[in-house]
Amino acid sequence: MTHKRTNQRIAFWTLRLLGLLVVAILLWILGFIVYHGIGVINWEFLTTAPTDGMTGGGIFPAIVGTCCLIVGSMIVAFPLGVMSAIYTTEYAGNGKIVRFIRIMTNNLGSIPSIIFGLFGMSLFVNALGFGDSIIAGSFTLGLLALPLVIRTTEEALKAVPDSYRTGSLALGASKLQTIWKVVLPSAFPNISTGLILAIGRVSGETAPILFTAAAYFLPKLPSSIYDQVMALPYHLYVIATSGTDLEATRPIAYGTALVLIVIVLAMNLLASLLRRHFGKKVKTN
């Protein structure tokens, strides 16, 4: 008995140390970025356009462009992903077609992001004539996030007890009414987890927007979805690797990285608040 308890304690403390190690690595990365980037963060940096070949001024156009691409990609990925998951989980059963769809979805999720960029350039930029624009970048990033949204939504729908479905159908509701009024509200807190993960995935991507939306230097705000934009990931790459005085632009690079992290954390926080709100709503109902 003592031997079993000793093994249990060793396993418990090993897992605890590994968990603390993950947290420590995260805090170390965040602390490193904050330490090197907080010095350039001020009102001018956040609200003005870059100047002097991006060695001065701010990053406001890149902030706006990044937010436009994130919102646009979620508008594309979230409805398509949720509807696809509803079909495979609630309607299609578990036949060969569904297994094939899931295999293809998993394969789609493993494709390198630069391949999505080349595909987006070929289809959205050239074939459909969108050009380098917000809409082309949003569709490309939406396809990139689609497998993640589908998988997380499927798991969320499977977690809803079957008694909810049978009870609703027994009361005379149709299949569609059951899904819309019972299943989706119950699963939405977990579905929003996919939204959070998808936001984190697309917000830091550089390769897809490099071919479809991002501009090297464009110190103005977009006026339509067909305009090209600056974006924080690509802007960070440019100022960290281009130019003759990298030492002068390095603080700007760290400041840009810090702003990008804050934007992602803010969007994740908003999604978490929505998840908590709908979770409380489900419990009260």
mmCIF file with all atom_site columns, all heavy atoms in Angstrom, residues 222-245:
data_model
loop_
_atom_site.group_PDB
_atom_site.id
_atom_site.type_symbol
_atom_site.label_atom_id
_atom_site.label_alt_id
_atom_site.label_comp_id
_atom_site.label_asym_id
_atom_site.label_entity_id
_atom_site.label_seq_id
_atom_site.pdbx_PDB_ins_code
_atom_site.Cartn_x
_atom_site.Cartn_y
_atom_site.Cartn_z
_atom_site.occupancy
_atom_site.B_iso_or_equiv
_atom_site.pdbx_formal_charge
_atom_site.auth_seq_id
_atom_site.auth_comp_id
_atom_site.auth_asym_id
_atom_site.auth_atom_id
_atom_site.pdbx_PDB_model_num
ATOM 1   N N   . PRO A 1 222 ? -7.871  51.074 -44.830 1.00 0.00 ? 222 PRO A N   1
ATOM 2   C CA  . PRO A 1 222 ? -8.658  50.566 -45.968 1.00 0.00 ? 222 PRO A CA  1
ATOM 3   C C   . PRO A 1 222 ? -10.027 51.230 -46.016 1.00 0.00 ? 222 PRO A C   1
ATOM 4   O O   . PRO A 1 222 ? -10.620 51.571 -44.978 1.00 0.00 ? 222 PRO A O   1
ATOM 5   C CB  . PRO A 1 222 ? -8.775  49.066 -45.661 1.00 0.00 ? 222 PRO A CB  1
ATOM 6   C CG  . PRO A 1 222 ? -8.654  48.975 -44.169 1.00 0.00 ? 222 PRO A CG  1
ATOM 7   C CD  . PRO A 1 222 ? -7.681  50.055 -43.787 1.00 0.00 ? 222 PRO A CD  1
ATOM 8   N N   . SER A 1 223 ? -10.536 51.407 -47.216 1.00 0.00 ? 223 SER A N   1
ATOM 9   C CA  . SER A 1 223 ? -11.855 52.009 -47.396 1.00 0.00 ? 223 SER A CA  1
ATOM 10  C C   . SER A 1 223 ? -12.901 50.996 -47.835 1.00 0.00 ? 223 SER A C   1
ATOM 11  O O   . SER A 1 223 ? -14.093 51.295 -47.834 1.00 0.00 ? 223 SER A O   1
ATOM 12  C CB  . SER A 1 223 ? -11.785 53.141 -48.428 1.00 0.00 ? 223 SER A CB  1
ATOM 13  O OG  . SER A 1 223 ? -11.297 52.658 -49.677 1.00 0.00 ? 223 SER A OG  1
ATOM 14  N N   . SER A 1 224 ? -12.477 49.793 -48.236 1.00 0.00 ? 224 SER A N   1
ATOM 15  C CA  . SER A 1 224 ? -13.409 48.732 -48.616 1.00 0.00 ? 224 SER A CA  1
ATOM 16  C C   . SER A 1 224 ? -12.736 47.377 -48.429 1.00 0.00 ? 224 SER A C   1
ATOM 17  O O   . SER A 1 224 ? -11.527 47.300 -48.173 1.00 0.00 ? 224 SER A O   1
ATOM 18  C CB  . SER A 1 224 ? -13.867 48.890 -50.069 1.00 0.00 ? 224 SER A CB  1
ATOM 19  O OG  . SER A 1 224 ? -12.844 48.491 -50.971 1.00 0.00 ? 224 SER A OG  1
ATOM 20  N N   . ILE A 1 225 ? -13.516 46.314 -48.586 1.00 0.00 ? 225 ILE A N   1
ATOM 21  C CA  . ILE A 1 225 ? -12.974 44.963 -48.420 1.00 0.00 ? 225 ILE A CA  1
ATOM 22  C C   . ILE A 1 225 ? -12.091 44.556 -49.586 1.00 0.00 ? 225 ILE A C   1
ATOM 23  O O   . ILE A 1 225 ? -11.441 43.507 -49.530 1.00 0.00 ? 225 ILE A O   1
ATOM 24  C CB  . ILE A 1 225 ? -14.101 43.936 -48.236 1.00 0.00 ? 225 ILE A CB  1
ATOM 25  C CG1 . ILE A 1 225 ? -15.047 43.950 -49.446 1.00 0.00 ? 225 ILE A CG1 1
ATOM 26  C CG2 . ILE A 1 225 ? -14.859 44.188 -46.951 1.00 0.00 ? 225 ILE A CG2 1
ATOM 27  C CD1 . ILE A 1 225 ? -16.109 42.873 -49.395 1.00 0.00 ? 225 ILE A CD1 1
ATOM 28  N N   . TYR A 1 226 ? -12.045 45.376 -50.623 1.00 0.00 ? 226 TYR A N   1
ATOM 29  C CA  . TYR A 1 226 ? -11.206 45.078 -51.785 1.00 0.00 ? 226 TYR A CA  1
ATOM 30  C C   . TYR A 1 226 ? -9.867  45.808 -51.734 1.00 0.00 ? 226 TYR A C   1
ATOM 31  O O   . TYR A 1 226 ? -9.109  45.781 -52.697 1.00 0.00 ? 226 TYR A O   1
ATOM 32  C CB  . TYR A 1 226 ? -11.942 45.420 -53.081 1.00 0.00 ? 226 TYR A CB  1
ATOM 33  C CG  . TYR A 1 226 ? -13.177 44.582 -53.293 1.00 0.00 ? 226 TYR A CG  1
ATOM 34  C CD1 . TYR A 1 226 ? -14.440 45.074 -52.980 1.00 0.00 ? 226 TYR A CD1 1
ATOM 35  C CD2 . TYR A 1 226 ? -13.082 43.274 -53.779 1.00 0.00 ? 226 TYR A CD2 1
ATOM 36  C CE1 . TYR A 1 226 ? -15.575 44.302 -53.166 1.00 0.00 ? 226 TYR A CE1 1
ATOM 37  C CE2 . TYR A 1 226 ? -14.211 42.500 -53.964 1.00 0.00 ? 226 TYR A CE2 1
ATOM 38  C CZ  . TYR A 1 226 ? -15.454 43.015 -53.652 1.00 0.00 ? 226 TYR A CZ  1
ATOM 39  O OH  . TYR A 1 226 ? -16.580 42.234 -53.830 1.00 0.00 ? 226 TYR A OH  1
ATOM 40  N N   . ASP A 1 227 ? -9.592  46.451 -50.606 1.00 0.00 ? 227 ASP A N   1
ATOM 41  C CA  . ASP A 1 227 ? -8.334  47.167 -50.451 1.00 0.00 ? 227 ASP A CA  1
ATOM 42  C C   . ASP A 1 227 ? -7.271  46.261 -49.831 1.00 0.00 ? 227 ASP A C   1
ATOM 43  O O   . ASP A 1 227 ? -7.580  45.366 -49.039 1.00 0.00 ? 227 ASP A O   1
ATOM 44  C CB  . ASP A 1 227 ? -8.524  48.395 -49.557 1.00 0.00 ? 227 ASP A CB  1
ATOM 45  C CG  . ASP A 1 227 ? -9.244  49.520 -50.273 1.00 0.00 ? 227 ASP A CG  1
ATOM 46  O OD1 . ASP A 1 227 ? -9.352  49.449 -51.510 1.00 0.00 ? 227 ASP A OD1 1
ATOM 47  O OD2 . ASP A 1 227 ? -9.711  50.449 -49.585 1.00 0.00 ? 227 ASP A OD2 1
ATOM 48  N N   . GLN A 1 228 ? -6.032  46.516 -50.192 1.00 0.00 ? 228 GLN A N   1
ATOM 49  C CA  . GLN A 1 228 ? -4.913  45.853 -49.556 1.00 0.00 ? 228 GLN A CA  1
ATOM 50  C C   . GLN A 1 228 ? -4.656  46.513 -48.197 1.00 0.00 ? 228 GLN A C   1
ATOM 51  O O   . GLN A 1 228 ? -4.966  47.691 -47.998 1.00 0.00 ? 228 GLN A O   1
ATOM 52  C CB  . GLN A 1 228 ? -3.670  45.965 -50.443 1.00 0.00 ? 228 GLN A CB  1
ATOM 53  C CG  . GLN A 1 228 ? -2.579  44.978 -50.151 1.00 0.00 ? 228 GLN A CG  1
ATOM 54  C CD  . GLN A 1 228 ? -1.452  45.068 -51.163 1.00 0.00 ? 228 GLN A CD  1
ATOM 55  O OE1 . GLN A 1 228 ? -1.388  46.016 -51.948 1.00 0.00 ? 228 GLN A OE1 1
ATOM 56  N NE2 . GLN A 1 228 ? -0.559  44.090 -51.137 1.00 0.00 ? 228 GLN A NE2 1
ATOM 57  N N   . VAL A 1 229 ? -4.111  45.761 -47.251 1.00 0.00 ? 229 VAL A N   1
ATOM 58  C CA  . VAL A 1 229 ? -3.905  46.300 -45.910 1.00 0.00 ? 229 VAL A CA  1
ATOM 59  C C   . VAL A 1 229 ? -2.531  45.890 -45.381 1.00 0.00 ? 229 VAL A C   1
ATOM 60  O O   . VAL A 1 229 ? -1.925  44.930 -45.847 1.00 0.00 ? 229 VAL A O   1
ATOM 61  C CB  . VAL A 1 229 ? -4.982  45.797 -44.917 1.00 0.00 ? 229 VAL A CB  1
ATOM 62  C CG1 . VAL A 1 229 ? -6.329  46.386 -45.234 1.00 0.00 ? 229 VAL A CG1 1
ATOM 63  C CG2 . VAL A 1 229 ? -5.026  44.271 -44.888 1.00 0.00 ? 229 VAL A CG2 1
ATOM 64  N N   . MET A 1 230 ? -2.070  46.649 -44.407 1.00 0.00 ? 230 MET A N   1
ATOM 65  C CA  . MET A 1 230 ? -0.946  46.202 -43.602 1.00 0.00 ? 230 MET A CA  1
ATOM 66  C C   . MET A 1 230 ? -1.470  45.272 -42.515 1.00 0.00 ? 230 MET A C   1
ATOM 67  O O   . MET A 1 230 ? -2.629  45.350 -42.122 1.00 0.00 ? 230 MET A O   1
ATOM 68  C CB  . MET A 1 230 ? -0.222  47.397 -42.981 1.00 0.00 ? 230 MET A CB  1
ATOM 69  C CG  . MET A 1 230 ? 0.427   48.323 -43.975 1.00 0.00 ? 230 MET A CG  1
ATOM 70  S SD  . MET A 1 230 ? 1.335   49.684 -43.178 1.00 0.00 ? 230 MET A SD  1
ATOM 71  C CE  . MET A 1 230 ? 2.724   48.779 -42.471 1.00 0.00 ? 230 MET A CE  1
ATOM 72  N N   . ALA A 1 231 ? -0.607  44.378 -42.030 1.00 0.00 ? 231 ALA A N   1
ATOM 73  C CA  . ALA A 1 231 ? -0.998  43.441 -40.975 1.00 0.00 ? 231 ALA A CA  1
ATOM 74  C C   . ALA A 1 231 ? 0.166   43.273 -40.010 1.00 0.00 ? 231 ALA A C   1
ATOM 75  O O   . ALA A 1 231 ? 1.334   43.289 -40.421 1.00 0.00 ? 231 ALA A O   1
ATOM 76  C CB  . ALA A 1 231 ? -1.410  42.098 -41.568 1.00 0.00 ? 231 ALA A CB  1
ATOM 77  N N   . LEU A 1 232 ? -0.148  43.124 -38.746 1.00 0.00 ? 232 LEU A N   1
ATOM 78  C CA  . LEU A 1 232 ? 0.890   43.068 -37.720 1.00 0.00 ? 232 LEU A CA  1
ATOM 79  C C   . LEU A 1 232 ? 1.898   41.925 -37.918 1.00 0.00 ? 232 LEU A C   1
ATOM 80  O O   . LEU A 1 232 ? 3.105   42.151 -37.771 1.00 0.00 ? 232 LEU A O   1
ATOM 81  C CB  . LEU A 1 232 ? 0.246   42.958 -36.328 1.00 0.00 ? 232 LEU A CB  1
ATOM 82  C CG  . LEU A 1 232 ? -0.454  44.218 -35.828 1.00 0.00 ? 232 LEU A CG  1
ATOM 83  C CD1 . LEU A 1 232 ? -1.201  43.932 -34.525 1.00 0.00 ? 232 LEU A CD1 1
ATOM 84  C CD2 . LEU A 1 232 ? 0.544   45.350 -35.617 1.00 0.00 ? 232 LEU A CD2 1
ATOM 85  N N   . PRO A 1 233 ? 1.478   40.689 -38.245 1.00 0.00 ? 233 PRO A N   1
ATOM 86  C CA  . PRO A 1 233 ? 2.490   39.631 -38.421 1.00 0.00 ? 233 PRO A CA  1
ATOM 87  C C   . PRO A 1 233 ? 3.482   39.932 -39.541 1.00 0.00 ? 233 PRO A C   1
ATOM 88  O O   . PRO A 1 233 ? 4.701   39.757 -39.368 1.00 0.00 ? 233 PRO A O   1
ATOM 89  C CB  . PRO A 1 233 ? 1.650   38.389 -38.738 1.00 0.00 ? 233 PRO A CB  1
ATOM 90  C CG  . PRO A 1 233 ? 0.310   38.682 -38.188 1.00 0.00 ? 233 PRO A CG  1
ATOM 91  C CD  . PRO A 1 233 ? 0.119   40.152 -38.352 1.00 0.00 ? 233 PRO A CD  1
ATOM 92  N N   . TYR A 1 234 ? 2.967   40.406 -40.679 1.00 0.00 ? 234 TYR A N   1
ATOM 93  C CA  . TYR A 1 234 ? 3.856   40.710 -41.797 1.00 0.00 ? 234 TYR A CA  1
ATOM 94  C C   . TYR A 1 234 ? 4.686   41.959 -41.516 1.00 0.00 ? 234 TYR A C   1
ATOM 95  O O   . TYR A 1 234 ? 5.875   42.020 -41.869 1.00 0.00 ? 234 TYR A O   1
ATOM 96  C CB  . TYR A 1 234 ? 3.034   40.895 -43.070 1.00 0.00 ? 234 TYR A CB  1
ATOM 97  C CG  . TYR A 1 234 ? 3.875   41.132 -44.302 1.00 0.00 ? 234 TYR A CG  1
ATOM 98  C CD1 . TYR A 1 234 ? 4.889   40.243 -44.648 1.00 0.00 ? 234 TYR A CD1 1
ATOM 99  C CD2 . TYR A 1 234 ? 3.654   42.231 -45.127 1.00 0.00 ? 234 TYR A CD2 1
ATOM 100 C CE1 . TYR A 1 234 ? 5.666   40.446 -45.777 1.00 0.00 ? 234 TYR A CE1 1
ATOM 101 C CE2 . TYR A 1 234 ? 4.428   42.438 -46.260 1.00 0.00 ? 234 TYR A CE2 1
ATOM 102 C CZ  . TYR A 1 234 ? 5.425   41.548 -46.575 1.00 0.00 ? 234 TYR A CZ  1
ATOM 103 O OH  . TYR A 1 234 ? 6.205   41.755 -47.690 1.00 0.00 ? 234 TYR A OH  1
ATOM 104 N N   . HIS A 1 235 ? 4.083   42.939 -40.866 1.00 0.00 ? 235 HIS A N   1
ATOM 105 C CA  . HIS A 1 235 ? 4.813   44.149 -40.490 1.00 0.00 ? 235 HIS A CA  1
ATOM 106 C C   . HIS A 1 235 ? 5.951   43.801 -39.538 1.00 0.00 ? 235 HIS A C   1
ATOM 107 O O   . HIS A 1 235 ? 7.066   44.328 -39.662 1.00 0.00 ? 235 HIS A O   1
ATOM 108 C CB  . HIS A 1 235 ? 3.853   45.138 -39.837 1.00 0.00 ? 235 HIS A CB  1
ATOM 109 C CG  . HIS A 1 235 ? 4.483   46.440 -39.461 1.00 0.00 ? 235 HIS A CG  1
ATOM 110 N ND1 . HIS A 1 235 ? 4.943   47.348 -40.387 1.00 0.00 ? 235 HIS A ND1 1
ATOM 111 C CD2 . HIS A 1 235 ? 4.743   46.990 -38.234 1.00 0.00 ? 235 HIS A CD2 1
ATOM 112 C CE1 . HIS A 1 235 ? 5.453   48.407 -39.771 1.00 0.00 ? 235 HIS A CE1 1
ATOM 113 N NE2 . HIS A 1 235 ? 5.341   48.203 -38.464 1.00 0.00 ? 235 HIS A NE2 1
ATOM 114 N N   . LEU A 1 236 ? 5.678   42.901 -38.596 1.00 0.00 ? 236 LEU A N   1
ATOM 115 C CA  . LEU A 1 236 ? 6.711   42.444 -37.669 1.00 0.00 ? 236 LEU A CA  1
ATOM 116 C C   . LEU A 1 236 ? 7.856   41.757 -38.412 1.00 0.00 ? 236 LEU A C   1
ATOM 117 O O   . LEU A 1 236 ? 9.040   41.995 -38.122 1.00 0.00 ? 236 LEU A O   1
ATOM 118 C CB  . LEU A 1 236 ? 6.090   41.491 -36.649 1.00 0.00 ? 236 LEU A CB  1
ATOM 119 C CG  . LEU A 1 236 ? 7.028   40.797 -35.660 1.00 0.00 ? 236 LEU A CG  1
ATOM 120 C CD1 . LEU A 1 236 ? 7.792   41.814 -34.831 1.00 0.00 ? 236 LEU A CD1 1
ATOM 121 C CD2 . LEU A 1 236 ? 6.231   39.865 -34.758 1.00 0.00 ? 236 LEU A CD2 1
ATOM 122 N N   . TYR A 1 237 ? 7.505   40.924 -39.361 1.00 0.00 ? 237 TYR A N   1
ATOM 123 C CA  . TYR A 1 237 ? 8.537   40.228 -40.150 1.00 0.00 ? 237 TYR A CA  1
ATOM 124 C C   . TYR A 1 237 ? 9.387   41.228 -40.944 1.00 0.00 ? 237 TYR A C   1
ATOM 125 O O   . TYR A 1 237 ? 10.620  41.109 -40.994 1.00 0.00 ? 237 TYR A O   1
ATOM 126 C CB  . TYR A 1 237 ? 7.865   39.234 -41.102 1.00 0.00 ? 237 TYR A CB  1
ATOM 127 C CG  . TYR A 1 237 ? 8.777   38.704 -42.174 1.00 0.00 ? 237 TYR A CG  1
ATOM 128 C CD1 . TYR A 1 237 ? 9.735   37.726 -41.882 1.00 0.00 ? 237 TYR A CD1 1
ATOM 129 C CD2 . TYR A 1 237 ? 8.699   39.176 -43.487 1.00 0.00 ? 237 TYR A CD2 1
ATOM 130 C CE1 . TYR A 1 237 ? 10.577  37.241 -42.863 1.00 0.00 ? 237 TYR A CE1 1
ATOM 131 C CE2 . TYR A 1 237 ? 9.537   38.698 -44.468 1.00 0.00 ? 237 TYR A CE2 1
ATOM 132 C CZ  . TYR A 1 237 ? 10.473  37.723 -44.153 1.00 0.00 ? 237 TYR A CZ  1
ATOM 133 O OH  . TYR A 1 237 ? 11.311  37.256 -45.130 1.00 0.00 ? 237 TYR A OH  1
ATOM 134 N N   . VAL A 1 238 ? 8.741   42.208 -41.524 1.00 0.00 ? 238 VAL A N   1
ATOM 135 C CA  . VAL A 1 238 ? 9.454   43.167 -42.372 1.00 0.00 ? 238 VAL A CA  1
ATOM 136 C C   . VAL A 1 238 ? 10.439  43.995 -41.548 1.00 0.00 ? 238 VAL A C   1
ATOM 137 O O   . VAL A 1 238 ? 11.623  44.112 -41.901 1.00 0.00 ? 238 VAL A O   1
ATOM 138 C CB  . VAL A 1 238 ? 8.450   44.092 -43.095 1.00 0.00 ? 238 VAL A CB  1
ATOM 139 C CG1 . VAL A 1 238 ? 9.176   45.267 -43.748 1.00 0.00 ? 238 VAL A CG1 1
ATOM 140 C CG2 . VAL A 1 238 ? 7.679   43.317 -44.147 1.00 0.00 ? 238 VAL A CG2 1
ATOM 141 N N   . ILE A 1 239 ? 9.976   44.558 -40.442 1.00 0.00 ? 239 ILE A N   1
ATOM 142 C CA  . ILE A 1 239 ? 10.863  45.449 -39.680 1.00 0.00 ? 239 ILE A CA  1
ATOM 143 C C   . ILE A 1 239 ? 11.927  44.659 -38.917 1.00 0.00 ? 239 ILE A C   1
ATOM 144 O O   . ILE A 1 239 ? 12.934  45.233 -38.503 1.00 0.00 ? 239 ILE A O   1
ATOM 145 C CB  . ILE A 1 239 ? 10.062  46.340 -38.704 1.00 0.00 ? 239 ILE A CB  1
ATOM 146 C CG1 . ILE A 1 239 ? 9.284   45.499 -37.699 1.00 0.00 ? 239 ILE A CG1 1
ATOM 147 C CG2 . ILE A 1 239 ? 9.138   47.255 -39.469 1.00 0.00 ? 239 ILE A CG2 1
ATOM 148 C CD1 . ILE A 1 239 ? 8.503   46.323 -36.691 1.00 0.00 ? 239 ILE A CD1 1
ATOM 149 N N   . ALA A 1 240 ? 11.725  43.349 -38.725 1.00 0.00 ? 240 ALA A N   1
ATOM 150 C CA  . ALA A 1 240 ? 12.719  42.553 -38.021 1.00 0.00 ? 240 ALA A CA  1
ATOM 151 C C   . ALA A 1 240 ? 13.786  41.983 -38.948 1.00 0.00 ? 240 ALA A C   1
ATOM 152 O O   . ALA A 1 240 ? 14.848  41.564 -38.469 1.00 0.00 ? 240 ALA A O   1
ATOM 153 C CB  . ALA A 1 240 ? 12.042  41.402 -37.270 1.00 0.00 ? 240 ALA A CB  1
ATOM 154 N N   . THR A 1 241 ? 13.515  41.985 -40.256 1.00 0.00 ? 241 THR A N   1
ATOM 155 C CA  . THR A 1 241 ? 14.454  41.346 -41.190 1.00 0.00 ? 241 THR A CA  1
ATOM 156 C C   . THR A 1 241 ? 14.936  42.263 -42.297 1.00 0.00 ? 241 THR A C   1
ATOM 157 O O   . THR A 1 241 ? 15.935  41.949 -42.941 1.00 0.00 ? 241 THR A O   1
ATOM 158 C CB  . THR A 1 241 ? 13.807  40.110 -41.839 1.00 0.00 ? 241 THR A CB  1
ATOM 159 O OG1 . THR A 1 241 ? 12.607  40.497 -42.543 1.00 0.00 ? 241 THR A OG1 1
ATOM 160 C CG2 . THR A 1 241 ? 13.443  39.066 -40.791 1.00 0.00 ? 241 THR A CG2 1
ATOM 161 N N   . SER A 1 242 ? 14.232  43.361 -42.548 1.00 0.00 ? 242 SER A N   1
ATOM 162 C CA  . SER A 1 242 ? 14.591  44.244 -43.657 1.00 0.00 ? 242 SER A CA  1
ATOM 163 C C   . SER A 1 242 ? 15.211  45.532 -43.132 1.00 0.00 ? 242 SER A C   1
ATOM 164 O O   . SER A 1 242 ? 15.077  45.890 -41.966 1.00 0.00 ? 242 SER A O   1
ATOM 165 C CB  . SER A 1 242 ? 13.352  44.564 -44.505 1.00 0.00 ? 242 SER A CB  1
ATOM 166 O OG  . SER A 1 242 ? 12.757  43.379 -44.978 1.00 0.00 ? 242 SER A OG  1
ATOM 167 N N   . GLY A 1 243 ? 15.883  46.239 -44.011 1.00 0.00 ? 243 GLY A N   1
ATOM 168 C CA  . GLY A 1 243 ? 16.485  47.516 -43.649 1.00 0.00 ? 243 GLY A CA  1
ATOM 169 C C   . GLY A 1 243 ? 17.956  47.379 -43.305 1.00 0.00 ? 243 GLY A C   1
ATOM 170 O O   . GLY A 1 243 ? 18.500  46.286 -43.164 1.00 0.00 ? 243 GLY A O   1
ATOM 171 N N   . THR A 1 244 ? 18.579  48.512 -43.152 1.00 0.00 ? 244 THR A N   1
ATOM 172 C CA  . THR A 1 244 ? 20.021  48.541 -42.880 1.00 0.00 ? 244 THR A CA  1
ATOM 173 C C   . THR A 1 244 ? 20.344  48.740 -41.410 1.00 0.00 ? 244 THR A C   1
ATOM 174 O O   . THR A 1 244 ? 21.439  48.424 -40.976 1.00 0.00 ? 244 THR A O   1
ATOM 175 C CB  . THR A 1 244 ? 20.668  49.682 -43.690 1.00 0.00 ? 244 THR A CB  1
ATOM 176 O OG1 . THR A 1 244 ? 20.029  50.922 -43.355 1.00 0.00 ? 244 THR A OG1 1
ATOM 177 C CG2 . THR A 1 244 ? 20.521  49.431 -45.185 1.00 0.00 ? 244 THR A CG2 1
ATOM 178 N N   . ASP A 1 245 ? 19.391  49.248 -40.638 1.00 0.00 ? 245 ASP A N   1
ATOM 179 C CA  . ASP A 1 245 ? 19.634  49.506 -39.220 1.00 0.00 ? 245 ASP A CA  1
ATOM 180 C C   . ASP A 1 245 ? 18.648  48.686 -38.391 1.00 0.00 ? 245 ASP A C   1
ATOM 181 O O   . ASP A 1 245 ? 17.642  49.195 -37.890 1.00 0.00 ? 245 ASP A O   1
ATOM 182 C CB  . ASP A 1 245 ? 19.469  51.003 -38.935 1.00 0.00 ? 245 ASP A CB  1
ATOM 183 C CG  . ASP A 1 245 ? 19.991  51.378 -37.546 1.00 0.00 ? 245 ASP A CG  1
ATOM 184 O OD1 . ASP A 1 245 ? 20.497  50.474 -36.846 1.00 0.00 ? 245 ASP A OD1 1
ATOM 185 O OD2 . ASP A 1 245 ? 19.862  52.554 -37.169 1.00 0.00 ? 245 ASP A OD2 1
#
